[in-house]
Amino acid sequence: MPTYSYACTACDHRFDAVQSFSEDSLTICPECGGALRKQYGSVGVTFHGSGFYRTDSRGNTGKSTPSSASSKAESSTSASPAPAATPASN
């Protein structure tokens, strides 16, 4: 169940309450009987497990071996583009 933070508008009393989603929000301060207001803050979400980290889904692309580095250089510079074919005239 989620935990909600409340603050009293009259006495500034602050507290947390564990409530289900279906429950109504608290409206009366337990200290002074004044009106309560829900407090919204940053959400601390932590993802655990595979697939959530940048390096989890990657193979060995970050680690290059000397043979793979030299083959990449040869393939990018050794081939030149073929000339465009001219249309045949009838």
Side-chain angles (χ1 to χ4, degrees), residues 3-4 14 19 26 39 43 64 81:
T3 302
Y4 296 101
R14 296 175 187 270
Q19 297 176 292
L26 300 177
Q39 299 292 300
V43 179
S64 62

Side-chain angles (χ1 to χ4, degrees), residues 1-7 14-20 23-26 30 36 38:
M1 285 203 289
T3 302
Y4 296 101
S5 295
Y6 289 95
R14 296 175 187 270
F15 64 97
D16 294 335
V18 178
Q19 297 176 292
S20 69
E23 287 183 59
D24 292 332
S25 297
L26 300 177
L36 286 179
K38 257 189 196 179

Side-chain angles (χ1 to χ4, degrees), residues 48-73:
H48 294 277
S50 63
F52 292 111
Y53 300 98
R54 183 176 182 193
T55 57
D56 281 349
S57 63
R58 306 202 181 226
N60 291 333
T61 57
K63 299 175 184 177
S64 62
T65 59
S67 61
S68 67
S70 63
S71 65
K72 286 181 184 178

